[in-house]
């Protein structure tokens, strides 16, 4: 399914400036545009990106006048930002009208269930669980003793939440994700074997969090592991015991935060990034894919790359030379020869 | 369980040239042989590998005459390739005679079920699902509304397939894998929070695909995420929204493809490799383990390594010098001293 | 939940030397201490760490006399090691008094169930399964035909164990983990497609093993994949077919061992580490996070880092120079200029 620019313009009572038969299939930030994507420009600060964006089309205000050449196609609307959020709302009407408790579910008699909830077959709701209004628990979900689920939260099939963990309002947790499994804590004994350190804390997922499929968020040793308000985790993200992922931070697939680390708010963590244990990462930090973060970062809003991670621009400079190390070695060998001749 | 070369020769009406009491436990390509493995040689092009292979034994045609020394043991058979495929068939008779619909499953009355299928207990088959002839749905599987499963396909315990996704014929999907979870798409708002971009597309898995345990394949934002014919994914592989994994491509464990990327056919992707978003990878590309692919690759059949990935031979040359950077630095320091003396 | 040092001292009939109002929330090795952690010092060999540890408090023997300055707080007890293990025991009394077989489970009539076991609802126990005394099978677990589970073992919700696999005594396997899925084995055919190599072996998990959430351990092609006694695997760890993970080895989250590799006992494998296929890793090897191990390691007790991994100290020296490659390049350019002048 794709949509033509003409159809979009029609939906938004707007006007296409360019070829309206082109198709888009997703949306993207204007500065990260690509073919097939629709972006929007509402804030003058972002105007320069209009002239370089690779998005197929950009929603702009009717009053907008470009000041340079551009390769994209414009759709002029009354209010570009409002039109963009309207589109998001519109497409989200994939309404899932699931309500009621299916027969083949297990619900302990002490569970507190608010109205308008759904509990699918083969889901297991333990003693003292509470589920808030409008929440949907798909089939084959497990909620351990005392788990709290807020309002309008969706738990997709196969989610497992261990005892005492808390999930906020308006959260989405995708299939196969495990919340509250034991932290990885073992005390080394004199004979080089390990003794389990009991993991008696819990996990607290705040409001407006989305967690992808097959993620793991471990319970704290003591206290809580936190996933703060508005955090978005992609698939297969690991959050270890006693970690704290700051509000509105996003982490891409297969990344992980090790034990007791505190990631600040508004961070952007690339795919397969590893954040080491017992460190603190400043607000707004961004990490390129596969970076390894071994030490605390105190400067906010930095961009980092590599293992061990350092400033992305510096890293790319070093990386460029790394690719030419054989030539550099030859130049040094040449110098050695010349010196020898000069001395000789 | 292992098998001696004598037993193999007996099974294949062949003859061992060497010590028939040696044991093998698996098969391997002749050029990637190792102790305990059986390989075969049918194509003269591969003959040079016979003289270097580390496989314990190699099946060869009765008429084959070696032209150099070799360290492996030969098993001479009428037709080496036919014997090899015969062995694979033979060992695959681990017949799983599961048929029927177990009582404790949930099957919506609108589901279309072909004959000779199996549906295990605690599996959930939603409205408008179709399941083709001979397919086996193990216990605790979830099939969302409108999911299509082809013929002779096996879904192992705990597989979850979200609504509208399609699985082809002769596919195998291992336990815990999630197909069709929402793509990781969020629009950044002015206040630095994120708004979910509805993911309204689906996933299409073509025929003859095998997907390992605990993988994730996200549904497209609009349109489809594709896993093409004959693709083989190992465990914990991530395929993001709108990605397209080309026919007969194999991806090893813990690797991932980011959003909207197109991986060509016949590629070989090593373990823990990350392929970035919005790029295209040419047919037959091979990536060493842990490589990070940040830009499109247009040359087919290349071999790549590192993060960012570049030609594997060049990379290994640079890597070899990287290991000796302290010596290189010393040589430069020495040169500086000598220059100073010369100038002084 | 946290505990003050005063409370701890009270529990242990000990005495705080310093500020008893400080709180701890976990335990740590004295040489890896951090704020909020409690350590212990029982062996004189570790005394130097007392003077540098960042743990909030350290349990020491009553008779201990420090010989230098320290920043931590001491808790003096009769026997520091006994007190530490007492605390671990004490906190582990998060008793899970689950016993009995819940109605909505499926248990084949040929299964052998010892006494005092628990089987939760929606769990599936196939023919010829045996479960040892005191073991707890949480809801939504799958045990394939002939699976053996030892005594006092816990399988958390959603664990899936394929046919013929064996789990030892006193094991813990966390939610979503898949044991015994097919190894990733395919024979390349002449037309560049792949034919599945039947995976007819099994997995053997020995005693005292803990495996985290959403891990995967593949069955062997022939023979067994081994996870040896006392091994601890964190979340999302991959163990491929025919691998053998040595006794008391620990592997952190998102690490993996490829096919047929043998990892020695007492190894410590960091997060996101990849150990390549068909190699042997010596006893006591330690790998820093994200390392890639491409070749066998025959020296025991080494510390390794990087991809490809080499000695950690050497690697960090090279890494330090890597960060300054642009300066090194400039120095070489400068030398070239000077040589030119000298020659000119």
């Amino acid at each position: 399914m794709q949509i033509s620019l003409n159809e979009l313009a029609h939906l938004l009572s707007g006007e296409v400036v360019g070829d309206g038969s082109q198709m888009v299939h997703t949306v993207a930030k204007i500065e990260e545009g690509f073919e097939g994507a629709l972006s929007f420009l509402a804030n003058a600060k972002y105007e320069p990106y209009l002239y370089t964006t690779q998005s197929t089309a950009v929603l702009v205000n009717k009053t907008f006048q470009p000041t340079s050449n551009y390769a994209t196609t414009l759709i002029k609307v009354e209010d570009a930002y409002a039109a963009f959020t309207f589109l998001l709302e519109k497409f989200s009407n994939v309404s899932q009208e699931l309500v009621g408790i299916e027969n083949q579910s297990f619900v302990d008699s002490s569970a507190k269930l608010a109205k308008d909830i759904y509990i699918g077959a083969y889901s297991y709701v333990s003693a003292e669980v509470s589920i808030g209004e409008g929440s949907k628990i798909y089939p084959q979900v497990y909620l351990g003793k005392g788990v709290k689920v807020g309002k309008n939260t969706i738990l997709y099939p196969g989610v497992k939440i261990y005892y005492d963990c808390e999930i906020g309002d308006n959260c989405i947790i995708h299939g196969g994700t495990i919340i509250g499994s034991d932290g990885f804590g073992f005390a080394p004994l004199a004979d080089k074997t390990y003794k389990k350190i009991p993991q008696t804390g819990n996990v607290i997922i705040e409001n407006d969090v989305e967690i992808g499929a097959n993620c793991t968020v471990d319970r704290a040793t003591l206290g809580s592991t936190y996933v703060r308000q508005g955090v978005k985790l992609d698939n297969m993200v690991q959050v270890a015991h006693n970690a704290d992922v700051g509000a509105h931070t996003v982490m891409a697939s297969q990344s992980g935060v090790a034990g007791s680390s505190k990631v600040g708010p508004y961070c952007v963590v690339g795919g397969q990034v590893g954040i080491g244990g017992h460190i603190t990462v400043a607000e707004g930090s961004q990490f390129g894919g596969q970076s390894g973060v071994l030490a605390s970062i105190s400067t906010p809003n930095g961009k980092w790359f590599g293992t061990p991670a350092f400033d992305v621009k510096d890293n790319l400079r070093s990386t460029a030379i790394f690719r030419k190390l054989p030539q550099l070695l030859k130049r040094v060998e040449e110098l050695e020869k010349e010196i020898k001749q000069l001395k000789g």
Side-chain angles (χ1 to χ4, degrees), chain A residues 258-273:
Chain A
S260 298
S261 283
K262 195 173 164 65
V263 177
Y266 307 111
C267 290
V268 177
V269 178
Q272 300 181 336
V273 166

Side-chain angles (χ1 to χ4, degrees), chain A residues 156-199:
Chain A
Y156 278 105
V159 167
K160 316 293 181 198
I161 304 185
Y162 284 44
Y163 70 98
D164 282 349
C165 293
E166 304 180 15
I167 315 294
D169 299 339
N170 308 311
C171 290
I172 297 173
I173 303 184
H174 283 282
T177 283
I178 312 293
I179 306 287
S181 41
D182 284 350
F184 194 61
F186 299 90
L189 302 185
D191 63 355
K192 300 203 291 176
T193 69
Y194 293 90
K195 187 168 176 63
K196 185 175 177 66
I197 298 172
Q199 305 291 311

Side-chain angles (χ1 to χ4, degrees), chain A residues 236-304:
Chain A
M236 289 193 237
V237 172
Q238 147 81 351
V239 179
H241 53 169
N242 291 91
D244 185 329
V245 181
H248 309 293
T249 278
V250 299
M251 295 180 66
S253 184
Q254 299 175 320
S255 59
V257 182
S260 298
S261 283
K262 195 173 164 65
V263 177
Y266 307 111
C267 290
V268 177
V269 178
Q272 300 181 336
V273 166
I275 295 177
H278 305 294
I279 64 177
T280 300
V281 171
E283 176 173 339
S285 298
Q286 301 196 8
F287 300 96
Q290 296 187 327
S291 296
V293 188
L294 306 182
S296 286
I297 290 176
S298 53
T299 316
N301 304 314
K303 298 191 180 187
W304 312 90

Side-chain angles (χ1 to χ4, degrees), chain A residues 37-285:
Chain A
L38 172 73
S39 299
F40 76 97
L41 171 62
N43 181 331
K45 194 177 87 180
Y46 288 89
E47 185 179 329
Y49 292 115
L50 182 76
Y51 308 115
T52 58
T53 189
Q54 295 184 51
S55 284
T56 295
V58 179
L59 295 174
V60 297
N61 292 337
K62 212 163 63 172
T63 56
F64 174 74
Q65 295 295 343
T67 59
S68 180
N69 294 326
Y70 54 90
T72 187
T73 298
L74 303 186
I75 302 178
K76 291 192 160 188
V77 293
E78 194 63 43
D79 178 336
Y81 184 70
F84 186 73
T85 56
F86 167 82
L87 282 178
L88 293 187
E89 296 292 347
K90 177 153 188 70
F91 286 119
S92 69
N93 284 335
V94 183
S95 60
Q96 298 268 1
E97 287 313 328
L98 296 167
V99 174
I101 298 175
E102 295 186 351
N103 275 333
Q104 301 181 64
S105 59
F106 173 93
V107 180
D108 188 275
S109 59
S110 65
K112 289 174 206 154
L113 308 183
K115 62 181 181 176
D116 298 333
I117 68 168
Y118 167 64
I119 299 179
Y122 317 126
S123 276
Y124 191 98
V125 178
S126 302
E128 298 167 37
V129 164
S130 69
I131 302 176
E133 195 177 328
S135 284
K136 296 180 200 308
I137 313 299
Y138 274 75
Q140 302 149 336
V141 167
Y142 171 84
L143 302 180
K145 192 177 171 188
V147 163
K148 288 185 176 60
V149 176
K151 298 176 193 166
N152 298 313
T153 279
I154 300 173
L155 305 183
Y156 278 105
V159 167
K160 316 293 181 198
I161 304 185
Y162 284 44
Y163 70 98
D164 282 349
C165 293
E166 304 180 15
I167 315 294
D169 299 339
N170 308 311
C171 290
I172 297 173
I173 303 184
H174 283 282
T177 283
I178 312 293
I179 306 287
S181 41
D182 284 350
F184 194 61
F186 299 90
L189 302 185
D191 63 355
K192 300 203 291 176
T193 69
Y194 293 90
K195 187 168 176 63
K196 185 175 177 66
I197 298 172
Q199 305 291 311
T200 61
N202 74 346
V203 174
I204 295 179
I205 311 279
E206 296 186 350
N207 298 336
D208 308 319
V209 168
E210 181 159 346
I211 299 182
N214 281 345
C215 291
T216 53
V217 183
D218 276 353
R219 67 194 312 109
T221 309
L222 294 170
S224 299
T225 302
Y226 288 95
V227 178
R228 302 286 182 180
Q229 183 169 5
V231 164
K232 312 297 178 192
L233 305 183
D234 199 349
N235 299 333
M236 289 193 237
V237 172
Q238 147 81 351
V239 179
H241 53 169
N242 291 91
D244 185 329
V245 181
H248 309 293
T249 278
V250 299
M251 295 180 66
S253 184
Q254 299 175 320
S255 59
V257 182
S260 298
S261 283
K262 195 173 164 65
V263 177
Y266 307 111
C267 290
V268 177
V269 178
Q272 300 181 336
V273 166
I275 295 177
H278 305 294
I279 64 177
T280 300
V281 171
E283 176 173 339
S285 298

